[in-house]
Amino acid sequence: RETNRFWVQGLHLQRLQLASGTNAKKDWSDHALWWEKKKTWLLKTHWTLDKYGIQADARLLFTPQHKLLRLQLPNMKHMKVKVNFSDRVFKAVSDICKTFNIRHPEELSLLRKPRDPKKKKKKLEECEEEALELEGIYSSPGLYSKTMTPTYDSRDGSPLSPTSAWFGDSPLSEGNPSILAVSQPISSPDILVKLYKPPSLLDKAKINQGWLDSSRSLMEQDVKENEVLLLRFKYHSFFDLNPKYDAIRVNQLYEQAKWAILLEEIECTEEEMMMFAALQYHINKLSIMSSDNHMKNSENEVDEVDAALSDLEITLEGGKTSNTLGDITSIPELADYVKVFKPKKLTLKGPKQYWCTFKDITISCYKSREEAHGIPAHQMNLRGCEVTPDVNISGQKFNIKLLIPVADGMNEIWMRCDTEKQYAQWMAACRLASKGKTMADSSYNLEVQNILSFLKMQHMNPDPQIIEPITTDINPECLVSPRYLKKYKNKQISARILEAHQNVAQMSLIEAKMRFIQAWQSLPEFGITHFLAKEELIGITYNRLIRIDASTRDAIKTWRFSNMKQWNVNWEIKMVTVEFADEPSLSFICAEVDCKVVHEFIGGYIFLSTRAKDQNESLDEEMFYKLTSGWV
Ligand SMILES: *[C@@H]1O[C@H](CO)[C@@H](O)[C@H](O)[C@H]1NC(C)=O
Ligand SMILES: *[C@@H]1O[C@H](CO)[C@@H](O)[C@H](O)[C@H]1NC(C)=O
Ligand SMILES: *[C@@H]1O[C@H](CO)[C@@H](O)[C@H](O)[C@H]1NC(C)=O
């Protein structure tokens, strides 16, 4: 009994005895030893007990590695899934995504359910979950028991076996997309009202404390069998989103966006809310139709997707490698009359009109067109600035709010455009310039088009003739956030949604979902993950770190990853320090959040930004670990 090896051999014998005894079918291969006190799995069977530091009185648990987890998917439905509790979370998520046929699992992770201190009663919570349970669909517990073969083609992401096979008696038959690819309308407004509690930035920061550590196992992080964990897109950088291969990924992403908007986890304007509602209404309608017709049309679907895609060139910013070479000889420029102003609350000075030119990443403002060859009255370099829209389409207000980094913080400048076209051109140029790119970048025209279509989707249609009669199939209570139900009558909301619907009524199902995701990405607060540092709020996005004023939600200062030299964590004092090429480093103390979570977000985004479209699917897992586990 001196060595672990001997001990494991003994265990082995025991297994054989069991196997040849009464319960011949019992398979022990999934079992392993768990050392409860030290919270570690003893997976290295060639190690001695001594090497593990185990004494005679240690209590070891011989327990299955695979256990059931109740996963809440981005669409808020719960599913029971068998997960390897001894795998690193990163690998476990990767397996879960394989089960659900979701490509790019590195973009997702598991989040603990935020505890509501005011709602201690467990019963209430369970009720909520019950209401959202997916009926009759549970991934079979034996899912992993036979083989661990991937269920999708890693090259194109297509299912290798009919997805229906995974879900046993699923009502959807062969050739159908899995039910996870179909959006289910919210069935009752009560669910929305119950869940609705618009979080403040501080609340959002608290939620982010719940991200699990990717480099440790579920068991090591005290996750219990049958516990509810949330599966979410963690990094808001969606690589190579392709409706042809990503039916489930697109749908779950759409669902995550939909709930974020309905629960006001992300801010949007009233016009935007109506546009999102119209898209939702459209998607709900088409989803019902497509599941009715799917038997007949599954062949056409692919053609439809192709057709939609040829019209809709989709770029999703994060992780995208853009062609900056372009035509260097002639970088496009903008020159126009634009109103420019500083929001000085104490002065009555309104917007003043200037002749402005936009060259490279610099805006120069002159008193008039004639003086454009002289010295500009103002000049702004937009690299690293924060660009925020302030738009009211019915009020014909097209403002661009710029927060430009200066030595002691951010300089706030507003620009007011007269038309949608002008706004789209300048806004697109500002967005690129903030990332250090010029209008020569291949994404410029696409960005302009995206902004225009985003605005167009919010247009009001004054012609009452073409408005559909108010039908009974519209449930405004399930399409807008509960705040609007207090503000307006349901009838009024229905009318506005139907009006807005005309802008999107021609879209195919997949296009509508992609547009929804794209519009979500256009919201100013999109993709900012908030953390509570000591006495300050830090935001992390795919390309920058932001120090945020929690009360105004404004950026106090930003730091770009592109400018970063290195970062490190002092685990003892819980301090993250990020060093930059040409500016003082940023340091902050992780307050309630584990530094590992922050560390992983920075490393994760750095890793994701290195992905390139022409690369093969295979993920450099080790690299991801290195960047996210504190080894760098
Ligand atoms: C579960 O994860 C552990 C740790 O990564 C691994 O050694 C084991 O083979 C996994 N079990 C199965 C059945 O894949
Ligand atoms: C937008 O403009 C319209 C028309 O001027 C106005 O009635 C409405 O209140 C404005 N909305 C917001 C959110 O400012
Ligand atoms: C990508 O994978 C395919 C097939 O798996 C292979 O033929 C090709 O050489 C790979 N390309 C690169 C750049 O690794």
Side-chain angles (χ1 to χ4, degrees):
R1 301 290 167 86
E2 266 172 19
T3 63
N4 190 31
R5 185 187 297 272
F6 179 73
W7 203 80
V8 169
Q9 272 171 3
L11 202 66
H12 203 72
L13 285 175
Q14 191 185 357
R15 272 189 216 163
L16 287 176
Q17 276 164 10
L18 279 167
S20 57
T22 48
N23 195 356
K25 288 271 157 60
K26 184 88 181 171
D27 178 5
W28 297 93
S29 63
D30 192 39
H31 278 61
L33 286 171
W34 167 251
W35 187 7
E36 220 164 13
K37 197 174 157 205
K38 289 281 159 78
K39 285 189 190 158
T40 35
W41 286 98
L42 310 181
L43 296 175
K44 294 180 183 131
T45 46
H46 59 282
W47 276 28
T48 61
L49 290 178
D50 203 35
K51 193 161 177 186
Y52 268 118
I54 292 171
Q55 306 291 321
D57 60 348
R59 201 178 104 91
L60 303 181
L61 210 63
F62 187 53
T63 182
Q65 294 172 71
H66 279 84
K67 297 178 192 298
L68 270 183
L69 208 55
R70 298 185 68 209
L71 276 187
Q72 190 198 65
L73 304 184
N75 66 357
M76 304 293 265
K77 306 282 183 190
H78 290 78
M79 283 188 123
K80 286 185 182 150
V81 183
K82 277 239 158 165
V83 179
N84 188 345
F85 270 56
S86 68
D87 255 337
R88 293 192 267 199
V89 163
F90 184 86
K91 176 69 168 50
V93 170
S94 178
D95 285 342
I96 290 166
C97 289
K98 249 181 222 166
T99 312
F100 294 150
N101 208 23
I102 296 174
R103 295 195 311 150
H104 295 292
E106 66 274 15
E107 291 166 4
L108 294 94
S109 195
L110 296 171
L111 185 64
R112 279 180 206 276
K113 230 177 153 191
R115 290 262 156 259
D116 189 342
K118 279 179 237 141
K119 205 169 53 179
K120 281 251 165 66
K121 288 182 206 92
K122 228 182 160 181
K123 271 189 189 152
L124 236 162
E125 252 176 52
E126 276 165 14
C127 270
E128 253 170 42
E129 281 163 23
E130 217 93 301
L132 294 159
E133 196 85 51
L134 252 188
E135 273 171 47
I137 296 158
Y138 299 98
S139 76
S140 72
L143 196 65
Y144 280 112
S145 64
K146 290 185 197 113
T147 55
M148 290 287 288
T149 48
T151 37
Y152 70 91
D153 187 321
S154 61
R155 215 165 359 93
D156 62 7
S158 63
L160 290 174
S161 58
T163 46
S164 56
W166 310 337
F167 300 123
D169 297 319
S170 150
L172 297 166
S173 58
E174 212 172 274
N176 277 348
S178 130
I179 190 140
L180 299 175
V182 181
S183 167
Q184 280 109 25
I186 296 168
S187 53
S188 133
D190 298 345
I191 297 171
L192 202 51
V193 170
K194 236 187 244 166
L195 293 173
Y196 178 71
K197 187 174 62 85
S200 68
L201 289 191
L202 295 178
D203 294 334
K204 283 164 75 176
K206 290 223 169 78
I207 291 169
N208 286 318
Q209 291 165 15
W211 288 108
L212 293 185
D213 183 339
S214 300
S215 56
R216 293 195 298 142
S217 72
L218 289 170
M219 201 86 157
E220 287 167 318
Q221 299 181 65
D222 282 327
V223 175
K224 303 279 183 293
E225 174 144 37
N226 267 319
E227 189 170 328
V228 176
L229 289 181
L230 319 187
L231 178 71
R232 292 290 184 273
F233 292 91
K234 172 179 178 180
Y235 300 102
H236 288 78
S237 159
F238 315 120
F239 186 62
D240 184 26
L241 203 53
N242 189 332
K244 233 166 142 174
Y245 308 125
D246 290 327
I248 294 171
R249 186 165 164 236
V250 168
N251 187 57
Q252 294 299 321
L253 208 43
Y254 157 70
E255 289 281 346
Q256 187 165 328
K258 174 178 104 180
W259 283 98
I261 286 157
L262 288 176
L263 300 178
E264 291 186 35
E265 286 164 7
I266 184 164
E267 279 193 336
C268 68
T269 67
E270 191 172 316
E271 287 174 322
E272 285 159 352
M273 181 63 83
M274 296 303 157
M275 170 199 70
F276 283 119
L279 280 167
Q280 244 194 98
Y281 171 61
H282 189 60
I283 290 164
N284 291 349
K285 257 172 63 168
L286 294 186
S287 299
I288 293 162
M289 274 160 57
S290 78
S291 40
D292 286 348
N293 294 340
H294 206 95
M295 301 292 219
K296 292 166 228 151
N297 291 343
S298 55
E299 296 264 309
N300 297 347
E301 189 94 324
V302 174
D303 296 342
E304 235 170 69
V305 168
D306 278 338
L309 284 178
S310 61
D311 294 342
L312 172 76
E313 213 185 314
I314 295 137
T315 55
L316 296 161
E317 194 168 44
K320 184 177 151 288
T321 50
S322 56
N323 170 19
T324 35
L325 295 174
D327 183 0
I328 313 167
T329 50
S330 63
I331 293 176
E333 294 173 9
L334 293 174
D336 207 345
Y337 279 107
V338 183
K339 296 187 185 75
V340 180
F341 58 107
K342 277 188 156 215
K344 282 210 189 92
K345 289 184 185 93
L346 294 176
T347 68
L348 292 173
K349 237 186 181 173
K352 199 170 159 194
Q353 182 158 288
Y354 289 94
W355 175 258
C356 296
T357 63
F358 204 138
K359 286 183 189 171
D360 292 331
I361 56 169
T362 303
I363 297 177
S364 307
C365 304
Y366 305 90
K367 291 216 168 69
S368 70
R369 184 176 195 163
E370 289 67 39
E371 290 173 41
H373 295 290
I375 297 157
H378 303 285
Q379 199 164 47
M380 306 172 260
N381 182 320
L382 266 55
R383 184 191 294 277
C385 77
E386 292 290 310
V387 187
T388 320
D390 173 39
V391 170
N392 178 345
I393 295 168
S394 57
Q396 287 291 295
K397 181 173 81 173
F398 303 104
N399 288 342
I400 302 170
K401 174 182 166 187
L402 299 171
L403 288 172
I404 299 166
V406 288
D408 57 343
M410 302 291 248
N411 194 5
E412 186 172 342
I413 308 267
W414 289 62
M415 299 182 70
R416 174 166 300 173
C417 299
D418 290 328
T419 64
E420 282 184 19
K421 188 165 171 248
Q422 187 187 41
Y423 167 77
Q425 288 173 337
W426 287 75
M427 188 67 179
C430 288
R431 283 193 180 148
L432 287 184
S434 74
K435 295 173 215 155
K437 294 178 190 167
T438 71
M439 283 172 269
D441 192 88
S442 60
S443 63
Y444 176 68
N445 283 326
L446 202 60
E447 183 72 31
V448 174
Q449 288 314 313
N450 283 345
I451 294 169
L452 284 172
S453 74
F454 181 68
L455 296 177
K456 192 163 158 262
M457 284 196 291
Q458 300 174 57
H459 280 185
M460 280 302 150
N461 295 282
D463 185 357
Q465 304 255 291
I466 48 169
I467 290 180
E468 299 166 49
I470 298 277
T471 43
T472 47
D473 70 339
I474 181 163
N475 282 326
E477 310 98 307
C478 299
L479 298 173
V480 296
S481 91
R483 182 149 59 99
Y484 293 95
L485 300 172
K486 289 202 193 111
K487 197 167 168 193
Y488 299 108
K489 293 197 182 75
N490 281 8
K491 248 187 174 167
Q492 291 174 303
I493 300 173
S494 294
R496 285 189 64 183
I497 293 173
L498 287 172
E499 271 176 43
H501 180 242
Q502 289 175 65
N503 299 319
V504 303
Q506 302 308 318
M507 289 180 189
S508 73
L509 180 55
I510 193 77
E511 184 185 354
K513 283 183 189 171
M514 292 298 278
R515 286 283 184 209
F516 195 101
I517 295 167
Q518 213 170 45
W520 174 48
Q521 291 181 300
S522 308
L523 298 177
E525 280 182 3
F526 169 82
I528 304 177
T529 307
H530 299 89
F531 293 107
L532 213 51
K534 205 171 163 189
E535 286 163 8
E536 61 186 342
L537 197 60
I538 300 288
I540 299 183
T541 78
Y542 77 97
N543 66 355
R544 66 201 191 283
L545 286 154
I546 315 167
R547 183 171 273 157
I548 298 167
D549 182 327
S551 52
T552 64
R553 293 186 166 220
D554 272 342
I556 300 168
K557 188 161 169 49
T558 61
W559 294 263
R560 302 258 146 189
F561 289 150
S562 58
N563 206 12
M564 188 173 91
K565 264 168 55 190
Q566 63 170 25
W567 85 100
N568 40 59
V569 182
N570 182 330
W571 301 100
E572 244 158 64
I573 57 167
K574 296 175 70 174
M575 185 161 83
V576 177
T577 304
V578 196
E579 289 169 32
F580 297 89
D582 58 1
E583 60 182 324
S585 57
L586 160 70
S587 287
F588 55 89
I589 306 265
C590 304
E592 280 156 57
V593 64
D594 187 341
C595 264
K596 180 62 173 50
V597 177
V598 179
H599 180 61
E600 221 175 88
F601 261 94
I602 300 176
Y605 274 129
I606 301 289
F607 172 79
L608 297 186
S609 68
T610 63
R611 295 179 299 181
K613 199 157 190 157
D614 51 356
Q615 249 173 19
N616 268 352
E617 284 279 320
S618 67
L619 179 71
D620 188 352
E621 222 173 287
E622 278 313 307
M623 183 67 178
F624 189 89
Y625 281 130
K626 278 188 188 153
L627 282 169
T628 58
S629 353
W631 303 343
V632 170

